[in-house]
Amino acid sequence: MDMESDPATKLSTEAKAAQRKSRTFILLLNCCLLIVGQVAGPILGRMYFLHGGKKLWLSAWTNTAGFPILIIPIAISYKAHQRPNKEAHRRRFLPSNWLLGSSVLLGLLLGLTVYLYAFGTAYLPVTVISLVSSSQLAFTAVFAWLIVKQRFTHYSINAVVLMTFGAVVLGLHMGEDVPRGEPVGIYVLGFLITIAAAVFHGLFLTLVEYTRARAGVPLTFDVVMQLQFVMSMVATMFSTVPMIITGGFQTMPEEAAEFDLGETKYYLIIFLAAIALQVMIIGVFGVVMSSSSLFGGIMTSLMVPVQQVFAVIFLREGFNAEKGMALALCLWGFASHLYGGYKTSSEKKDVGGDDESSVAATRMIS
């Protein structure tokens, strides 16, 4: 009997095709969220400091305080899947203790990471922050190799080296970017702390992938949203406690009154930054869950040229030869990674790999 005419085989093929399209759509959607959040978030955060904002813990708090927006998709999904039987009403918020514990630990790590990035945002131009932050790709690669046993091709290794070297170029020529009136020592400290943030960023992405691999249960849309909700809530608490202890919330009206752009825009910038940065976190988390930590790092580094353009347009930041060289190296590295992924996928198809192996190969190199 012709296998292609078998209704069961045809149905299975169609189901796989539909699943593949759905997975691709989710990945692209998360990439779009990452792009929007990563472009808008850092610029709004930098505007806060440029026009009179001084609270580092408030800036860190803003990075994750937008987590309540996750209640909307969680509630809609829960309502859509609700069934009039008792078992449906007994569903746990998170289906395993492993996922609950992982989301708490990831939240603490995220809270530390965003605080370090907030310190860098306070003292470095966005054009510098974006390029230095791209070094997280190197740390992501190392952690992915150590923790999730990520396999590399020479294309992905080339991408990691090139993007990391771009940050080194900036580090060797940082003197020209020191803002007027700011001590060079503070600028250097901000540069080094941003590098530290990139290290923790790389570790965070890898641990998200590790959590996915060890979940032990299907990671449905509901579960992923719940993971992000708990993670962002814990990260927000990480910044909320110091804000309460130092009286940060109580003195916000005073800072708003002295803000260069006015009190209304002070609160508007904080609100928009919180939304944009939460959208970025949703996108990053979703990309890693849909693909791999290395691809999440690649996508984050890809946003460097876009951030450069918007920072020059909206913040009137300079763009010198060293930044141009670092930008070219980042683009070269990303192109190398994409070409490597294309070559590997093509080779798999040429040797007759099925849909599942092709998907596995794509995730391996991405």
Side-chain angles (χ1 to χ4, degrees):
M1 183 176 66
D2 187 0
M3 292 296 292
E4 292 185 358
S5 62
D6 185 358
T9 303
K10 183 177 180 181
L11 184 62
S12 176
T13 302
E14 291 177 351
K16 286 183 178 180
Q19 186 179 33
R20 188 165 58 250
K21 289 180 181 179
S22 175
R23 182 165 49 237
T24 301
F25 172 76
I26 292 173
L27 178 59
L28 291 175
L29 176 62
N30 283 305
C31 286
C32 290
L33 293 175
L34 187 156
I35 291 170
V36 172
Q38 193 167 335
V39 170
I43 289 179
L44 289 166
R46 182 60 178 164
M47 286 178 64
Y48 165 76
F49 287 109
L50 285 176
H51 296 285
K54 298 181 178 65
K55 300 180 185 297
L56 292 177
W57 281 113
L58 175 60
S59 179
W61 181 84
T62 303
N63 274 264
T64 55
F67 75 90
I69 65 175
L70 291 168
I71 295 175
I72 299 174
I74 291 174
I76 292 175
S77 179
Y78 181 83
K79 188 68 176 177
H81 293 89
Q82 195 173 23
R83 295 289 184 271
N85 57 64
K86 294 182 179 180
E87 187 172 346
H89 290 287
R90 289 201 300 265
R91 290 191 306 171
R92 292 183 58 184
F93 178 72
L94 281 172
S96 73
N97 292 331
W98 162 260
L99 290 176
L100 179 59
S102 296
S103 60
V104 171
L105 292 176
L106 286 171
L108 293 173
L109 180 59
L110 178 61
L112 175 61
T113 302
V114 298
Y115 174 75
L116 295 177
Y117 272 132
F119 192 98
T121 302
Y123 300 108
L124 300 178
V126 171
T127 50
V128 174
I129 293 173
S130 60
L131 287 168
V132 174
S133 298
S134 67
S135 65
Q136 56 79 26
L137 179 59
F139 303 116
T140 301
V142 172
F143 288 127
W145 178 69
L146 291 173
I147 298 175
V148 297
K149 310 304 179 185
Q150 174 81 45
R151 295 175 61 187
F152 293 94
T153 65
H154 61 277
Y155 295 105
S156 55
I157 293 174
N158 185 51
V160 170
V161 172
L162 287 170
M163 289 182 162
T164 303
F165 189 66
V168 174
V169 169
L170 279 180
L172 295 176
H173 300 84
M174 64 172 65
E176 298 177 10
D177 286 310
V178 179
R180 186 176 301 176
E182 183 174 297
V184 176
I186 292 294
Y187 185 89
V188 173
L189 180 61
F191 186 91
L192 294 176
I193 287 182
T194 303
I195 291 290
V199 174
F200 287 111
H201 187 174
L203 178 60
F204 171 78
L205 293 178
T206 306
L207 290 180
V208 169
E209 183 177 1
Y210 184 73
T211 298
R212 182 193 71 194
R214 292 287 303 275
V217 295
L219 291 180
T220 61
F221 176 83
D222 287 347
V223 175
V224 172
M225 288 293 103
Q226 292 165 14
L227 272 170
Q228 292 191 62
F229 182 87
V230 175
M231 180 187 72
S232 296
M233 181 177 65
V234 172
T236 303
M237 292 172 61
F238 182 90
S239 300
T240 300
V241 173
M243 280 287 288
I244 294 174
I245 293 174
T246 60
F249 290 116
Q250 294 91 323
T251 57
M252 281 181 66
E254 298 175 11
E255 188 174 68
E258 299 173 358
F259 196 63
D260 295 343
L261 300 178
E263 187 172 350
T264 301
K265 289 186 178 180
Y266 172 85
Y267 290 109
L268 181 62
I269 287 174
I270 291 176
F271 173 77
L272 293 178
I275 298 299
L277 290 166
Q278 186 60 51
V279 166
M280 180 187 72
I281 292 173
I282 293 172
V284 171
F285 196 89
V287 166
V288 176
M289 283 292 182
S290 303
S291 181
S292 68
S293 55
L294 185 60
F295 185 67
I298 289 287
M299 279 301 302
T300 301
S301 296
L302 175 63
M303 290 302 97
V304 168
V306 183
Q307 286 178 321
Q308 298 284 312
V309 172
F310 278 87
V312 171
I313 293 174
F314 290 102
L315 301 180
R316 301 291 188 269
E317 293 184 358
F319 194 86
N320 54 28
E322 286 76 21
K323 291 179 183 178
M325 182 181 296
L327 176 57
L329 288 169
C330 286
L331 291 174
W332 184 7
F334 182 73
S336 174
H337 183 81
L338 284 185
Y339 181 71
Y342 170 76
K343 287 276 291 183
T344 304
S345 297
S346 298
E347 290 170 1
K348 287 289 180 180
K349 291 178 181 178
D350 291 340
V351 298
D354 59 15
D355 288 340
E356 292 299 324
S357 63
S358 297
V359 171
T362 302
R363 295 182 73 165
M364 178 189 73
I365 54 90
S366 61

